[in-house]
Amino acid sequence: VWITAISLLNSGCIAFHPESAAKDDLGFYRKHYRSCGVDAIRDAKSNFGERATYKNISQEIQKSGNISRSLLSLFHHDSFMITWPCEIKKYLNNHGYTIEKIDDFNSLKKGDVAIVLVKGASLSQDWHWMCYPNDKNIKTHFGEKTEIIQVYLLKKIQKTF
């Protein structure tokens, strides 16, 4: 009851933005297709010479479930665009990448590929996945208040026969 009451009072909830919950013919949320997490994965893969479509990446991620995105949509309709860190890691592991969480963004060097989660001001809802080296404004994406939250250094697993 309380969740319903709060969501109805929140102008950002899905009740006022039903278009955000639009699904394709296969039942996947379209809004997630061009989310920043999907975009960062696509950019990272391109650095290794691999191609993938936004749609294919998003569908694979969404196959693991949308419960948390759906629940959060009661508070804000943009929740359908969320890609969780565990989803990023699972997708990349399933596609032959190792992921090393590193503490210092500044330790990245030429030739490295990383997926980076940044956040805006401390009380804001501004979170964004980015790809190093593709995105040049990682440290300043949200202005001077940009905070780097997580850095995942990627390596492609070499197949041995």
Side-chain angles (χ1 to χ4, degrees):
V1 173
W2 284 108
I3 291 175
T4 303
I6 290 170
S7 67
L8 289 175
L9 294 173
N10 181 353
S11 63
C13 86
I14 196 65
F16 298 106
H17 300 278
E19 70 283 358
S20 291
K23 293 182 178 182
D24 66 13
D25 294 338
L26 298 174
F28 295 105
Y29 290 108
R30 283 192 213 122
K31 193 161 189 164
H32 190 262
Y33 288 169
R34 289 307 301 261
S35 66
C36 61
V38 171
D39 196 35
I41 289 170
R42 185 175 179 271
D43 286 351
K45 289 183 77 166
S46 73
N47 284 290
F48 293 96
E50 295 184 18
R51 295 182 60 181
T53 67
Y54 297 108
K55 188 174 182 178
N56 288 344
I57 294 168
S58 177
Q59 286 178 347
E60 186 172 331
I61 289 169
Q62 290 188 64
K63 282 179 185 174
S64 65
N66 281 307
I67 293 170
S68 55
R69 282 182 273 277
S70 297
L71 286 173
L72 286 172
S73 74
L74 294 173
F75 302 99
H76 202 283
H77 66 99
D78 281 341
S79 298
F80 290 108
M81 296 182 76
I82 292 173
T83 306
W84 301 104
C86 61
E87 293 173 322
I88 298 264
K89 290 188 269 188
K90 181 179 177 182
Y91 178 91
L92 291 167
N93 281 323
N94 288 343
H95 287 265
Y97 293 88
T98 60
I99 298 119
E100 177 187 352
K101 186 175 179 183
I102 61 172
D103 296 324
D104 184 11
F105 174 79
N106 293 319
S107 69
L108 294 172
K109 57 192 177 309
K110 185 175 178 151
D112 285 343
V113 177
I115 293 184
V116 182
L117 179 62
V118 297
K119 181 181 175 309
S122 61
L123 295 177
S124 79
Q125 297 176 1
D126 296 329
W127 294 75
H128 192 66
W129 288 107
M130 304 181 83
C131 178
Y132 174 90
N134 300 49
D135 295 306
K136 306 301 182 203
N137 64 334
I138 292 174
K139 291 181 180 181
T140 60
H141 183 75
F142 293 113
E144 63 185 41
K145 299 285 186 183
T146 302
E147 183 180 349
I148 294 174
I149 302 299
Q150 291 179 346
V151 180
Y152 297 131
L153 179 63
L154 309 180
K155 303 282 184 198
K156 184 71 176 160
I157 298 170
Q158 299 299 319
K159 294 179 184 178
T160 57
F161 298 96

